[in-house]
Amino acid sequence: MNYSLRSILLALPFLPVLVTRGSAETGYDAWLRYPAIQEKSVRDLYTQLSPTIVVLENSPVIDAAQSELIRGLRGMLGRIPRVEHDLVPGDIVVLGTLAAAQRAFRNFSLPDDLTADGYWLKTTILDDRHILLITAPNDRGVLYGTFALLRKMALHQRIDSLDEKQNPYAPIRWVNQWDNLDGSIERGYAGRSIFFEGGNVLPDLTRAGDYARLLASIGINSCTVNNVNASPRMLASDFLPQLARIAAVFRPWGVKLSISVDFTSPKAIGGLSTFDPLDPSVEKWWRDKADEIYRAIPDLAGFVLKADSEGRAGPSVYGRTHADAANVLARALKPHAGIVIYRGFVYNHHLDWRNLKNDRARAAYDNFHALDGAFDDNAVVQIKHGPIDFQAREPVSPLIAGLQKTSETLELQITQEYTGQQRHLCYLVPMWKEVLDFDLGAQNRSTPVKEIVAGKTFHRPVGGFVGVANVGRDANWLGYDLAMANLYGFGRLAWDPNLAIRDITAEWTRMTFGNDAQVVDTVMNLELESWHVYERYTGPLGLGTLTDILHSHYGPGIETAERNGWGQWIRADHEGIGMDRTVATGTGYIGQYAERVAHEYESLSTTPDNLLLFMHHVPYTYVLHSGESVIQYVYDSHYAGAAEAEKFPEWWQTLQRRIDDQRYEAILKRLTYQAGHAIVWRDAICNWFFRESGIPDAQNRVGHYPNRTEAESMQLSGYAVQDVDPSEDASGGKAIACSASAKSCTASFLFQGEPGWYNLHVQYFDLNGGGARFQIFVNDQQLDQWVADLLLPSNKINADSSTRHTIHGVALRPGDRIRIEGAPDGEDRAALDYVEIARQDYYSQ
Amino acid sequence: MNYSLRSILLALPFLPVLVTRGSAETGYDAWLRYPAIQEKSVRDLYTQLSPTIVVLENSPVIDAAQSELIRGLRGMLGRIPRVEHDLVPGDIVVLGTLAAAQRAFRNFSLPDDLTADGYWLKTTILDDRHILLITAPNDRGVLYGTFALLRKMALHQRIDSLDEKQNPYAPIRWVNQWDNLDGSIERGYAGRSIFFEGGNVLPDLTRAGDYARLLASIGINSCTVNNVNASPRMLASDFLPQLARIAAVFRPWGVKLSISVDFTSPKAIGGLSTFDPLDPSVEKWWRDKADEIYRAIPDLAGFVLKADSEGRAGPSVYGRTHADAANVLARALKPHAGIVIYRGFVYNHHLDWRNLKNDRARAAYDNFHALDGAFDDNAVVQIKHGPIDFQAREPVSPLIAGLQKTSETLELQITQEYTGQQRHLCYLVPMWKEVLDFDLGAQNRSTPVKEIVAGKTFHRPVGGFVGVANVGRDANWLGYDLAMANLYGFGRLAWDPNLAIRDITAEWTRMTFGNDAQVVDTVMNLELESWHVYERYTGPLGLGTLTDILHSHYGPGIETAERNGWGQWIRADHEGIGMDRTVATGTGYIGQYAERVAHEYESLSTTPDNLLLFMHHVPYTYVLHSGESVIQYVYDSHYAGAAEAEKFPEWWQTLQRRIDDQRYEAILKRLTYQAGHAIVWRDAICNWFFRESGIPDAQNRVGHYPNRTEAESMQLSGYAVQDVDPSEDASGGKAIACSASAKSCTASFLFQGEPGWYNLHVQYFDLNGGGARFQIFVNDQQLDQWVADLLLPSNKINADSSTRHTIHGVALRPGDRIRIEGAPDGEDRAALDYVEIARQDYYSQ
């Protein structure tokens, strides 16, 4: 090996291995799969692609671009192009920054309107040869251009006549991970942390690097790796080398490390007696700490700070403001071009519910509006998109337009905390798009959210978008392949919020599952329907999700919202429901909006139905714009939503053998579970409203389940009946569970229907304190057995754990005895709610 | 639960669990998958199937039939019929023996021409209702009828007008497993024993039971669970309870346990001073032992005995005959209706190779012919189908017609000892069918093998078929899903040797992979071509397999056959090749055949080309019936065979997404390996013949490899050149291997061809003493890396370990340096043979 070759090799920081993939898929590659293109007509599009890639310079990021390009071309075309560093003869693909490109092609006119991270894909003929140029102002842009080219190919688009310039919409395109140093993840639903375990950074950061690759492919430029409820240890000097290792695996992908910090750090680990932001010793501590960090991690993007919120200490301890807190960090970071992102999610969680004027929705605006202008330029306020906390539907936060002299970033939640926790399909891009396009009408002009947060409206130096994305160690990152559309969509919207929903969805679908027309149609329909379906069977009319807000944030838990200090009240009684947030008679929240918006929400007649009960208190008999009463709408929407969710697995089954088996099976399992749990939601919410309002369902469905046999009415042995709390969590308000001493329990009943083929739906409770086993028999014949091992977020008999198991196609005759045997395991007492028996459709099972 | 219900439940020995399967497939269910029928037109065939199964009696076997029927119907139709034990009203499916059926339907005429294990499938209308009757003389027949019905449905055949009677062709339909008590398996290629580990029977015999299910489905009625090279411990009193556990999991499937025994047992474990079969104390010992065994296992099928063979002690120690040995066991077993199967595989493996009259092929006939008539009626001689030992092609053993007063069973080998060891596809049903149909012309009449061994020709009371089937713990039983066709085919031929090859193959293919037309065509073509392809690239013209007979029995090892006592000589020199087995001038082996066959083989002009060199010694220039010379035929057949094997993975790739991914990938991997190893075979055999004969290939291929760069001619660092023995095992007779001290080694060379896209084939040696790693680069660019971890049967640099790795679609220009870096691991020294560079076809990669 000659010297120059050796020096090039040594200069390469890493050489990712190129491996051809089989067709078994774990979801690990997400949308970056690069499957071989089989169709000749599509392969023909790329026949002429040059065998030579000229890489004009070396940097970790451009090396990553080079290896990604080769990986993609090898995967899709079965061809491995050659990398050169000189302008060898023949057609070439060229990778390099604008500066390098200008040096290489002196007479070629390059654009001057690209901004940082933007890129230009350009095909041209220069000196009698075809050139495909991927260039950008910085090396991150070259990487993004490379991903863009590969995306076009994965979408089977032409690449022989390119002239595409793209600039990012905003500079802040971050994700927050809520990972704790012990390896757990707050609101993570896909296994433990890919960064931490036992108080340390993981020895093997392969997954962290691969996560950065996914993020880079959608334009994310920073990842905050730890929980906003931050450990002081993050800033400990002996921990810095560990953080530097994460930064190192991020770096080739242009993803900067950022970290959440604990505001008490100067005292907690710094040895000071105070963390008062205006104390000079505290200011110096932060400055010195920043200097120390940047010596280890020169490209740290900055800090994220959650203070004075949900029990975390903050500047209020010393009577200081949020601005004081943010600025002391901002000044420490400024010499290093870092920023501090200060979370605007500040509210009092000991609100007095008896006071009808109290309103948590007001909190963000009330806390920050007065500070507008007091934040340094590199201090950014991170605002959740709604005034509460990522419910199935909320209005846009009024604080977004309430800060006009402060840099902002919009916080969206990719992790589905209140929207099904990745066990339910709930594609949030349509929701986010509504938020981004919402016109807050500030200064009596058009001021859509996207423009404000990006800094365009009020000419702020920095701004953008932050997504809370709690990927974990599950092979497919989010525990659910279909949930990855939210991560993809967040990145694409952060890059360009003007992208159409359908275009983003089609990109993700085609890259994730291939270009088969039936696959694309089906997956897109599932994704695009899912949010509305989820909203229909959970919390409609702006009520929030109606989930258990005190514990799991998962299943129905309607009354957990009421009569406590958390302030997510829905103010329901036997006459009516809804928070009166009007200026005229309510909390005045609506007055936080600019005039046009406030005017719309203040009046019942102009408030949209889907936010009605967020803004107003009305009787159940109040008639919506749709013409239905509130109460009938609740019934109808829940029955419609559950019926739609039941179609999801049926749609999915049309894709068998059109996609890989592994993802097909895993997704089918989740969609089937969701269809069953949607019925739990439907029944719990409808029964609660029926009980509260006393108004029957006009269609006579609520409270009437003719094919259902309640467990508590069965002949029991070993089982004992118990009340379920809240009662709407179980059919009839009761369940049966094995008594503490029983090893095996039996519940049986007689079938009295017509002879024929039936499906048997067994509604049981899958508690996470053990793996109870169930068997079901008809007379002496065993039909099926299963284990309750879904790891749902509950160790109680309630709607979180309520689960449906279906046995298809059972031959029954009147007089048959149906018997269920439960074998409890630990705290899981093999509890049952009911059995429902429905005629089988032989052709769809 | 009332009393009668409880008594029925208690009477059921096991209740297999019914679980709906996903579409991910491990191969565990083999051909008994029962996938859901999706096509409406096919579902329509079964719409009217009764929801009620009336089971007329209870026995372990009939319970298995009942649960299998439910499992199959549930899988294919998504319906769980109801089991009744009384003649309830309505349409019914009825399971029961003829006796029970006659009691149930007194006026219904039942057939009287069914024999043991036969069955009758009959649809009829009785008392105004449709009845589908599955009945048989014994409960095993009811089980077989059930499998037959389910097979029809898996093949999408009508079942609404059935009147099918089937009787088995012969009573002996056994498999032999060559499992050792330590858990290893002699000539097993699919993991360790499913029966034994560490000298004991496995605690969990689930797999043994599931194996019995597979065997039952193809009519196998006994399984010999241990190696014919048997341990005396098999008969130890303290071991019997363990064997009884195996018998218990076999029993519901009508599979009787049989065991191989050690002839020295009376002395080895019985405390006697002798094992002389004519000694009264020995005779008594065997009688007492049999009585003891049958108390523990009342339905034991019998013993298998290998004696006086390959170093095992036998009756010759005391000057007794094989008949004396067999009869002492036969008499002990007779009171219990057991049989002894005495293996006819007896030969001297210290034959003097210098004596041209010596001939191992004569051995079976020479050893047993004189004993004809001396064996008791329940003593059966088990005869391998050919006179040598399961080579790629052999003539039929003359002993088969040489015993006319002795019961026989034909031994076929399902485990592919000499036919690729389940790494190569080699479907043996076509070979077996040739054997079974071969007319030995005994007594100057038509006496096909199948009729003789079944006892029909010479009116023997017992006879049949034994397959050596070494399934192991690999999920798919034989390590290779496609190899399972041999197990299936053996069972079907043992049931009815008159079945057509295509019918058997179609059944297996459709049940294993589904009814998609392209799948069926492709898999059938692969299977049906495979034996001839394997024969073409290994040992053509009756030479045997030409494999290494001294060690692996796997890769080419042509000279291992010569100049030793094992007697598989091919008698090759620089003039000619072949064993002269004629009566006139040779060993006289041909004289063991009856006149018509002997006459055909004695003459060069009538001997078929494919057995020519088995029967005759000829010069290389001898012209075949086909018109080619022997030497050119050898060249042409090897090039044709390797070219055909290269097509196998290409055919297979047309099935992606038409079958499940898991089996698709696993099979593609093996077919790709086989395509590479076929080239190793081709080159080794052709080069040996070229060297030996000095006669060049008329097509100039042998010895000329224009696109090949030998490793020994590359620029080396850390690597050392070494001679390979035998020299034809490596291209050019040499390989390179990392020297003992090297941690990493490099071999490189310059590419001098035209610019373009190429496939690079790296021929390396994958030794089982470690997992060496390889990387390949073009200039500074890594193309690929892989690990040598195939677990091939060799720890040496030879043709067993020679393996091909291909990198597709590499852009090359003249002057490129191609470099391979090997990192040795333990004894695996990252050895290389050559690199071959071929133009890429962009549309087939």
Side-chain angles (χ1 to χ4, degrees), chain B residues 288-324:
Chain B
D288 292 347
K289 181 54 71 177
D291 293 347
E292 180 189 3
I293 294 173
Y294 276 87
R295 280 193 295 275
I297 307 166
D299 55 355
L300 186 87
F303 293 158
V304 173
L305 180 58
K306 175 181 180 181
D308 279 329
S309 170
E310 296 182 323
R312 293 195 67 82
S316 65
V317 173
Y318 301 99
R320 312 302 183 192
T321 70
H322 300 301
D324 294 334

Side-chain angles (χ1 to χ4, degrees), chain B residues 521-541:
Chain B
D521 285 355
T522 303
V523 174
M524 284 185 68
N525 282 343
L526 279 165
E527 294 280 356
L528 293 170
E529 288 291 315
S530 61
W531 170 43
H532 289 297
V533 168
Y534 185 80
E535 183 186 21
R536 280 183 199 119
Y537 65 70
T538 61
L541 299 173

Side-chain angles (χ1 to χ4, degrees), chain B residues 151-209:
Chain B
R151 180 163 59 230
K152 287 176 189 296
M153 294 179 67
L155 300 175
H156 295 185
Q157 297 170 354
R158 302 191 75 96
I159 56 165
D160 52 354
S161 180
L162 295 175
D163 186 3
E164 177 173 319
K165 270 184 285 189
Q166 292 228 4
N167 285 320
Y169 193 83
I172 298 179
R173 304 182 306 278
W174 290 23
V175 289
N176 287 172
Q177 289 271 146
W178 289 350
D179 295 30
N180 299 314
L181 299 196
D182 66 1
S184 65
I185 304 179
E186 185 169 331
R187 310 299 173 192
Y189 310 106
R192 294 178 67 78
S193 171
I194 64 170
F195 302 112
F196 307 111
E197 189 64 60
N200 290 301
V201 171
L202 287 169
D204 181 353
L205 290 174
T206 305
R207 285 203 63 147

Side-chain angles (χ1 to χ4, degrees), chain A residues 181-390:
Chain A
L181 300 196
D182 66 1
S184 65
I185 303 178
E186 185 168 334
R187 310 299 172 191
Y189 309 106
R192 295 179 66 79
S193 171
I194 64 170
F195 302 114
F196 307 111
E197 189 65 62
N200 291 300
V201 171
L202 287 170
D204 181 354
L205 289 173
T206 306
R207 285 204 62 146
D210 289 338
Y211 183 38
R213 171 175 170 256
L214 290 182
L215 296 177
S217 74
I218 50 175
I220 303 294
N221 57 7
S222 178
C223 173
T224 314
V225 293
N226 66 310
N227 195 344
V228 289
N229 298 314
S231 162
R233 176 157 162 74
M234 283 296 287
L235 293 176
S237 297
D238 68 331
F239 196 64
L240 275 182
Q242 300 199 35
L243 289 180
R245 289 181 48 241
I246 301 179
V249 299
F250 280 1
R251 194 165 289 121
W253 301 103
V255 175
K256 292 181 173 180
L257 179 71
S258 49
I259 57 176
S260 297
V261 298
D262 177 39
F263 193 62
T264 72
S265 297
K267 189 173 170 186
I269 63 160
L272 303 190
S273 60
T274 177
F275 56 91
D276 178 354
L278 298 193
D279 185 294
S281 70
V282 170
E283 192 178 343
K284 178 175 189 306
W285 188 88
W286 283 109
R287 215 167 44 233
D288 293 347
K289 182 54 71 178
D291 294 347
E292 179 190 2
I293 294 174
Y294 276 87
R295 280 193 296 276
I297 307 166
D299 55 356
L300 186 86
F303 293 158
V304 173
L305 180 57
K306 176 180 179 180
D308 278 330
S309 171
E310 295 181 324
R312 293 195 66 83
S316 66
V317 172
Y318 301 99
R320 312 304 185 192
T321 70
H322 300 302
D324 294 333
N327 292 344
V328 71
L329 272 63
R331 284 165 202 152
L333 294 166
K334 191 166 181 69
H336 310 287
I339 63 174
V340 62
I341 294 188
Y342 196 91
R343 284 182 96 238
F345 185 57
V346 174
Y347 66 100
N348 173 5
H349 62 278
H350 299 290
L351 273 187
D352 180 3
W353 60 271
R354 293 172 204 82
N355 183 341
L356 295 179
K357 295 295 180 188
N358 279 346
D359 187 359
R360 169 170 160 187
R362 295 184 55 109
Y365 189 96
D366 286 348
N367 281 306
F368 284 86
H369 177 64
L371 297 172
D372 193 19
F375 289 89
D376 282 9
D377 270 1
N378 67 328
V380 180
V381 177
Q382 178 164 318
I383 306 171
K384 292 196 184 196
H385 74 79
I388 303 289
D389 193 13
F390 300 130

Side-chain angles (χ1 to χ4, degrees), chain A residues 610-668:
Chain A
N610 61 27
L611 287 174
L612 177 73
L613 303 180
F614 192 91
M615 301 296 177
H616 301 279
H617 184 87
V618 298
Y620 294 113
T621 52
Y622 177 82
V623 177
L624 300 166
H625 296 117
S626 69
E628 286 177 294
S629 68
V630 163
I631 190 71
Q632 193 58 39
Y633 181 90
V634 168
Y635 298 149
D636 289 351
S637 88
H638 281 82
Y639 273 85
E644 288 164 314
E646 199 169 359
K647 292 286 174 203
F648 285 0
E650 294 176 21
W651 295 355
W652 186 255
Q653 283 176 294
T654 66
L655 304 188
Q656 187 170 24
R657 294 283 141 78
R658 289 179 180 269
I659 68 161
D660 55 287
D661 298 333
Q662 186 163 346
R663 293 185 299 169
Y664 171 83
E665 290 294 336
I667 292 166
L668 178 59

Side-chain angles (χ1 to χ4, degrees), chain A residues 694-711:
Chain A
I695 301 171
D697 169 24
Q699 295 197 46
N700 206 31
R701 297 159 301 191
V702 178
H704 298 95
Y705 312 100
N707 300 320
R708 194 176 283 187
T709 303
E710 295 293 341

Side-chain angles (χ1 to χ4, degrees), chain A residues 42-58:
Chain A
V42 183
R43 291 183 75 84
D44 282 342
L45 296 179
Y46 309 123
T47 320
Q48 297 307 322
L49 197 74
S50 161
T52 308
I53 299 169
V54 176
V55 180
L56 296 176
E57 63 217 298
N58 279 122

Side-chain angles (χ1 to χ4, degrees), chain B residues 386-554:
Chain B
I388 302 291
D389 194 13
F390 301 129
Q391 302 299 297
R393 184 181 297 268
E394 297 186 40
V396 164
S397 170
L399 180 61
I400 293 167
L403 297 179
Q404 303 186 357
K405 291 171 284 182
T406 304
S407 297
E408 296 180 14
T409 181
L410 183 70
E411 181 174 326
L412 299 172
Q413 199 184 39
I414 296 159
T415 200
Q416 295 171 229
E417 177 178 353
Y418 291 95
T419 49
Q421 301 186 352
Q422 286 124 256
R423 291 181 198 91
H424 291 236
L425 175 61
C426 189
Y427 179 51
L428 296 169
V429 164
M431 174 205 274
W432 295 337
K433 187 76 173 166
E434 281 191 22
V435 170
L436 292 165
D437 289 346
F438 189 82
D439 184 357
L440 280 160
Q443 300 175 336
N444 282 318
R445 59 187 174 104
S446 170
T447 58
V449 168
K450 58 193 172 193
E451 293 182 8
I452 298 175
V453 298
K456 296 179 191 295
T457 307
F458 303 120
H459 310 293
R460 299 300 312 162
V462 67
F465 309 90
V466 175
V468 179
N470 295 348
V471 304
R473 278 180 229 169
D474 282 4
N476 62 2
W477 302 98
L478 285 174
Y480 193 13
D481 295 295
L482 295 185
M484 291 293 279
N486 287 325
L487 179 57
Y488 184 86
F490 168 77
R492 296 293 285 146
L493 286 173
W495 180 265
D496 181 3
N498 291 318
L499 285 172
I501 296 170
R502 286 197 70 85
D503 290 344
I504 294 171
T505 313
E507 282 177 11
W508 174 81
T509 300
R510 290 172 182 273
M511 293 171 79
T512 302
F513 292 110
N515 290 281
D516 175 273
Q518 188 175 336
V519 171
V520 174
D521 285 355
T522 303
V523 174
M524 284 185 68
N525 282 343
L526 279 165
E527 294 280 356
L528 293 170
E529 288 291 315
S530 61
W531 170 43
H532 289 297
V533 168
Y534 185 80
E535 183 186 21
R536 280 183 199 119
Y537 65 70
T538 61
L541 299 173
L543 280 172
T545 305
L546 296 184
T547 187
D548 176 351
I549 68 150
L550 295 180
H551 307 96
S552 66
H553 300 194
Y554 182 58

